[in-house]
Each structure stands twice: as C-alpha cells, then as structure tokens.
C-alpha cells in the first residue's frame, strides 16, 4: 500500500543528489510531485528518468532566495493540484576549511542565504495552504554541525543551527493546526562530489541519499503523525 497516496509534495533542489533520491522515493510512495530546481533542463532530465509515477509538475529556473519566485512555486502547485501536503527542503551549500578570522563575509552571506533564507521563504510560502487544509508536513535538511560547531566551518555550522531552531520554533507555532515540522540530519552523503573531495575515505561508512529520502517519506506519512519538532539523524556508519 502506498504511504503517501496523492499527497502533493514540493521538493526543492530536486535535481541534486538528495533531491533526485527524494523524487524517486516520494514518487514510489504515491505522492504527486512538484519538483523545484534552478535548472529546468535538469528537472526535465530527471522526470524523463522516472517511470511508474504520475507526471510531476516541474518548476525550474527558480531563485529560492527571492520571495516572489518562491510564492510562485506554491501558486503553481495549487493551480495544478489544489493543495500542498508536503514540503521537503533539500537545498543547501557548504563552505569550510577557512578559520573564522580569515573567512570572507561574502562566504557567510552565501551560506546563510542558501541554507537559511531558502528554508525560511519556502516554509512561509507553504504554510497558508497547509493551515487552510488543517494538515501538512514540512521537512528541512540540516547537518550534525547544527548540534556542535566545527573548526573551519563556523558559517555552515551557524546556518544549519539556525535552520534547526527555525524548524523547532515553527513546529511549536503550528502543532495545534495539524502541521508537523521536522528535520532530517544526514551524515556524510555518498555522492560523486564527496568521493572526489575525500578519495581516501571509507565510502562504505557514508550514508546513501536514498536512505535519507526514505526517512523523509516516513516523516511525511501518517506513521509520523505524532512526530513534530524532531531532528532525526541519518548517519549510516559515518
């Protein structure tokens, strides 16, 4: 039986490693997909590779740091499907390796814009429909850096901690309105990019993107109806 029958699910960063795994997992769970990315071409390629799922709504060439553009995503989703049930934010950016005293402020601006601002804007835009419905699921992606700062990654650690606190605060605000807000917390994801940057690592200890996507499907399902304000570690053996 499908876990998410016809649940309208917005996935940001859908052509990325985690986003594409999420598109597959949510599609197989029966969700109706709204796939969002900076590149319409990459979304079209992703959609062409998916079989056995309902035709997704592709929303490409979107700047998730622009409030009007983000609002347009949900307007299109409502126009196509009439409701929005799930938001899964997979967009993020990492910068690290530079001591705080030497790191350019522009790097801080970028990390906060991509990790925090995009999450804030998409959550705000998703909420009106969910509150009208009296039901919804928001799932944000953080990092174990949200729990403890890491030398050389102050900006990333601070931004992910901010996403965690945003998620926890929002969960408290909307818990009586039928909307659950949670986070997934990946360990090191086994991606081509991470393998290239750490060629000597034991890749078998890293977590597969699909495993993270499966946890997001759980959080979006009725099985997680009593879970809100949580941050679920998905570390594999990393």
């Amino acid at each position: 039986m499908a876990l998410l029958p016809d649940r309208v699910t917005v996935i940001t960063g859908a052509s990325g490693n985690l986003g594409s795994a999420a598109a597959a997992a949510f599609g197989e769970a029966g969700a109706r997909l709204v796939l969002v990315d900076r590149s319409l071409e990459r979304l079209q390629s992703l959609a062409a590779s998916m079989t056995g799922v309902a035709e997704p709504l592709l929303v490409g060439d979107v700047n998730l740091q622009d409030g009007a553009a983000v609002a347009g995503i949900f307007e299109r989703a409502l126009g196509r499907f009439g409701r929005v049930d799930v938001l899964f934010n997979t967009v993020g950016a990492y910068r690290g390796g530079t001591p705080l005293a030497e790191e350019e402020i522009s790097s801080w601006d970028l990390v906060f814009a991509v990790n925090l601002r995009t999450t804030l804007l998409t959550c705000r835009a998703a909420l009106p429909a969910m509150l009208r419905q009296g039901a919804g699921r928001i799932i944000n992606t953080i990092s174990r850096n949200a729990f403890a700062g890491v030398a050389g990654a102050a900006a990333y650690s601070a931004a992910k901690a901010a996403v965690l606190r945003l998620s926890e605060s929002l969960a408290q605000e909307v818990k009586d309105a039928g909307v659950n807000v949670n986070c997934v917390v990946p360990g090191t994801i086994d991606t081509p990019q991470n393998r290239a940057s750490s060629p000597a690592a034991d890749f078998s200890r890293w977590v597969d993107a699909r495993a993270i996507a499966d946890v997001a499907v759980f959080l979006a399902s009725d099985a997680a109806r009593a879970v809100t304000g949580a941050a679920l570690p998905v570390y594999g053996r990393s």
Side-chain angles (χ1 to χ4, degrees):
M1 184 174 66
L3 285 175
L4 305 173
D6 295 323
R7 303 283 175 87
V8 179
T9 300
V10 177
I11 300 173
T12 67
S15 73
N17 293 297
L18 178 54
S20 58
F26 277 82
E28 291 167 16
R32 302 300 304 270
L33 300 175
V34 180
L35 303 181
V36 181
D37 200 84
R38 290 177 299 176
S39 169
L40 179 59
E41 183 178 357
R42 288 198 298 266
L43 287 178
Q44 291 169 335
S45 177
L46 171 63
S49 71
M50 300 174 67
T51 58
V53 302
E55 182 180 357
L57 172 62
L58 306 182
V59 185
D61 301 324
V62 176
N63 177 5
L64 291 178
Q65 298 174 39
D66 181 271
V70 171
I73 296 167
F74 294 90
E75 290 170 4
R76 290 184 60 183
L78 290 168
R80 169 82 172 268
F81 299 113
R83 58 186 297 116
V84 174
D85 299 297
V86 181
L87 167 64
F88 183 23
N89 279 311
T90 76
V91 171
Y94 175 80
R95 293 290 185 276
T98 304
L100 187 148
E102 300 173 13
E103 190 168 23
E104 297 290 339
I105 292 299
S106 60
S107 181
W108 280 76
D109 290 341
L110 182 147
V111 169
F112 269 77
V114 176
N115 291 286
L116 179 59
R117 182 177 174 84
T118 63
T119 302
L120 169 62
L121 292 178
T122 51
C123 288
R124 282 171 57 93
L127 279 171
M130 292 182 178
L131 294 174
R132 284 196 302 271
Q133 295 160 191
R137 300 286 190 271
I138 294 175
I139 305 152
N140 296 322
T141 304
I142 59 170
S143 159
R144 65 178 78 190
N145 289 51
F147 305 132
V150 176
Y156 182 72
S157 299
K160 287 300 189 183
V163 173
L164 173 59
R165 295 294 172 250
L166 180 156
S167 303
E168 291 171 338
S169 298
L170 181 56
Q172 291 299 311
E173 289 181 8
V174 299
K175 65 182 181 181
D176 293 329
V179 179
N180 291 19
V181 184
N182 294 291
C183 295
V184 290
V185 193
T188 303
I189 306 176
D190 189 1
T191 67
Q193 296 89 337
N194 284 340
R195 288 192 178 209
S197 65
S198 302
D202 181 356
F203 306 141
S204 70
R205 304 190 68 86
W206 293 355
V207 63
D208 184 75
R210 179 57 190 255
I212 302 162
D214 288 342
V215 172
V217 168
F218 161 71
L219 288 172
S221 74
D222 291 341
R225 61 192 177 277
V227 181
T228 194
L232 271 62
V234 194
Y235 294 164
R237 296 189 297 128
S238 63

